[in-house]
Amino acid sequence: MKVIICGAGQVGWQIARHLSGERNDVTVVDSNPDLVRRATDTLDVQGLAGFASYPDVLERAGARDADMIIAATHSDEVNMVTCQVAHSVFAISRKIARLRSQSYLDAIYSDLYRRDHMPIDVVISPEKEVAEAALQRLAAPAAFDTEKFFDGEAQLMGLRLEEDCPVVNTPLRQLSDLFSTLRVVVLAVRREGRLFAPNAGDQLFVGDECYVFAPNEDIPRTLEVFGKKSQKQERLVILGGGNVGLAVARALENSGRRIRTKMIERNRACAERAADALERTIVLNGDALDSALLNEAGISRADAVLAVTDDDKTNLLAAVRAKSEGCPFAISLVNDPTLVPLLQPIGVDAYINPRATTVSSILRHIRHGRVRGVYSIGDAEAEVIEAQVMSTSSIAGAAIREIDFPEGVLIGAVKKGKEIHKPSGGMRIEEGDVIVIFAMAADVARVEQLLQVSIDFF
């Protein structure tokens, strides 16, 4: 498939990395020649320096015979015009745009994106994606990472193993024997910075970061087995009243959950805008690093603090300060993946990577209907894929032990009809089953070949 990616920043580069790795014909367009050079030097892609919304630039990028265009520049307006030009001049069939301004995302204006108006097939909102990720982290405070699958009926959770974890030093095979009725699968382990798919003989050690998959009904017991406690969130302090903080506060107000929320925002105009937009959230104007202001917000009585300013270092420092003032749980927004290894030593419990959430959302839409969900782990090191098995797939009718999966691939669960099953070697994968698969980045293309849902299949 021929794809044009407009914008070679963090999100555009990661999408180009995924698609080029799957042997698609990818061209990256950006007005910054240095970013284009970085993409062409590190990836198997073509590059073009220029303004993505200009018809002559898209022409030179190969828009005449492109199958898809992804507009992910830093400007909403450029992304919108790029999709319009791609549609009106070049008749590109699939157009995805990243839009950040809330006004463009308001449901009452959704008619704007009709094909006879501003023809955008999929609108991706980083702020909305990050806000949803923040809500998931708050709903599962024992996990440093979490994502929902099977229409919200199951979860992937990242759990850090402490010394009091009951299953430390236990081989995974024995773990399955001890808790045979528990439908939980350890899909991945990060140890000393390296992420890998474990085998049945591997043990779990203190300090390991495990990615486990379980249906919702089994999550309380799963947390107990891994030495974690379910904590009810009733008081929250949000640090940062920008688009992300405002989206989280709005979502909490609309959810009906009885969470008392306070917000701290340094910029006065931004604080006033948040205060006007929110009904039950108390908004304080000031520095989130100010101990006196944190105490005024009741940080010592809060169940969690969510640091979502537009600066990574401020988020980390504010989270550490909040914990030093008595808050038991801290979530930080982190754009720079190189900062993630610092989180545990300084006491930050969970993080949200906006790039990973946006990339996951774009990939989900790129891979069409048969792939129902994609979640990118770490710095695009691996993916968790939810897909429906088609009759044309080579795995349809085969027992799991008979499927030639690469070594870095594991099945987390199989949904047959309405029932979610823990996979076993003798289980047969049938047409219509929905499966969740963990795959290291290098193995994703092979997994999609087995599923026959590779994007070039369409």
Side-chain angles (χ1 to χ4, degrees):
M1 188 169 76
K2 187 169 184 177
V3 184
I4 299 174
I5 299 174
C6 302
Q10 292 182 342
V11 169
W13 187 88
Q14 287 289 1
I15 293 297
R17 174 180 168 184
H18 279 274
L19 296 185
S20 63
E22 295 164 12
R23 299 180 182 179
N24 293 286
D25 182 356
V26 178
T27 300
V28 175
V29 179
D30 199 288
S31 59
N32 186 331
D34 292 335
L35 292 180
V36 174
R37 192 176 304 112
R38 182 189 71 153
T40 55
D41 287 348
T42 57
L43 305 171
D44 183 17
V45 301
Q46 300 177 68
L48 180 65
F51 289 95
S53 58
Y54 289 4
D56 65 311
V57 172
L58 290 181
E59 174 101 54
R60 283 184 283 143
R64 290 288 177 191
D65 58 350
D67 301 295
M68 178 185 296
I69 190 164
I70 301 170
T73 75
H74 292 295
S75 167
D76 287 357
E77 290 71 25
V78 169
N79 293 340
M80 296 169 76
V81 172
T82 297
C83 288
Q84 181 70 70
V85 173
H87 174 79
S88 301
V89 179
F90 301 107
I92 295 177
S93 60
R94 189 143 178 93
K95 300 161 288 292
I96 298 176
R98 178 177 69 171
L99 302 181
R100 310 187 71 136
S101 174
Q102 183 59 42
S103 183
Y104 290 136
L105 302 170
D106 199 311
I108 65 173
Y109 305 126
S110 60
D111 198 46
L112 174 65
Y113 307 113
R114 276 175 25 192
R115 294 187 70 82
D116 55 343
H117 289 168
M118 182 71 69
I120 302 175
D121 300 297
V122 177
V123 173
I124 303 294
S125 165
E127 282 75 15
K128 181 181 177 182
E129 300 294 334
V130 170
E132 290 178 356
L135 292 173
Q136 289 189 40
R137 300 292 190 281
L138 290 168
F144 64 83
D145 197 359
T146 182
E147 178 68 11
K148 294 180 179 179
F149 289 87
F150 294 148
D151 297 321
E153 295 178 16
Q155 284 192 47
L156 173 76
M157 297 186 295
L159 302 175
R160 187 175 292 112
L161 304 191
E162 311 292 347
E163 291 185 359
D164 59 351
C165 175
V167 296
V168 163
N169 302 326
T170 303
L172 294 181
R173 183 183 293 107
Q174 186 177 342
L175 187 63
S176 297
D177 294 338
L178 289 171
F179 306 100
S180 58
T181 61
L182 196 61
R183 294 169 296 171
V184 59
V185 176
V186 179
L187 288 179
V189 176
R190 187 185 300 281
R191 183 176 297 156
E192 297 179 352
R194 186 178 73 89
L195 186 73
F196 64 93
N199 59 49
D202 283 332
Q203 294 175 273
L204 301 177
F205 301 117
V206 174
D208 283 354
E209 294 181 349
C210 300
Y211 286 87
V212 304
F213 191 90
N216 289 347
E217 299 92 331
D218 292 349
I219 285 177
R221 179 63 175 146
T222 298
L223 292 175
E224 184 181 332
V225 166
F226 283 86
K228 304 295 181 181
K229 295 180 180 179
S230 297
Q231 299 170 327
K232 194 173 181 181
Q233 306 291 337
E234 296 181 340
R235 293 182 175 86
L236 171 68
V237 176
I238 300 174
L239 308 180
N243 289 334
V244 174
L246 185 56
V248 172
R250 273 179 172 153
L252 287 174
E253 288 190 350
N254 295 333
S255 69
R257 295 166 60 186
R258 295 184 178 181
I259 298 181
R260 301 175 187 175
T261 307
K262 294 182 180 179
M263 175 185 291
I264 298 177
E265 167 55 45
R266 185 170 187 171
N267 180 280
R268 185 172 184 83
C270 191
E272 291 176 350
R273 177 174 69 96
D276 290 340
L278 299 169
E279 296 180 4
R280 299 189 302 276
T281 303
I282 298 173
V283 181
L284 304 176
N285 176 219
D287 190 348
L289 292 171
D290 185 344
S291 291
L293 190 59
L294 286 171
N295 287 324
E296 184 181 343
I299 197 67
S300 62
R301 300 186 303 277
D303 298 304
V305 61
L306 176 64
V308 289
T309 75
D310 57 5
D311 182 78
D312 284 357
K313 296 179 180 64
T314 298
N315 290 336
L316 294 181
L317 288 173
V320 172
R321 172 59 62 87
K323 292 203 71 172
S324 71
E325 297 291 337
C327 184
F329 184 71
I331 305 172
S332 179
L333 188 71
V334 180
N335 289 277
D336 183 356
T338 64
L339 294 175
V340 172
L342 301 177
L343 301 184
Q344 184 181 2
I346 64 177
V348 177
D349 302 285
Y351 69 95
I352 303 164
N353 183 335
R355 178 176 66 181
T357 57
T358 305
V359 167
S360 294
S361 182
I362 292 175
L363 288 174
R364 182 166 63 248
H365 291 290
I366 284 175
R367 291 185 176 143
H368 297 258
R370 291 166 176 81
V371 168
R372 300 167 26 141
V374 177
Y375 187 63
S376 181
I377 290 181
D379 190 17
E381 298 161 273
E383 289 183 19
V384 180
I385 302 168
E386 177 184 333
Q388 186 172 14
V389 177
M390 310 305 295
S391 59
T392 54
S393 171
S394 61
I395 71 174
I400 290 177
R401 66 165 63 96
E402 300 169 351
I403 301 173
D404 185 25
F405 282 125
E407 188 176 342
V409 172
L410 290 174
I411 296 181
V414 180
K415 188 174 182 181
K416 294 177 175 290
K418 295 183 179 181
E419 293 293 324
I420 299 174
H421 300 268
K422 181 178 179 179
S424 63
M427 179 182 291
R428 292 201 172 272
I429 303 298
E430 307 292 348
E431 176 189 353
D433 289 352
V434 181
I435 60 177
V436 168
I437 299 176
F438 168 86
M440 298 299 295
D443 300 317
V444 170
R446 173 60 180 153
V447 169
E448 291 200 323
Q449 288 175 3
L450 290 170
L451 293 169
Q452 291 198 359
V453 290
S454 177
I455 53 177
D456 58 5
F457 177 73
F458 300 89

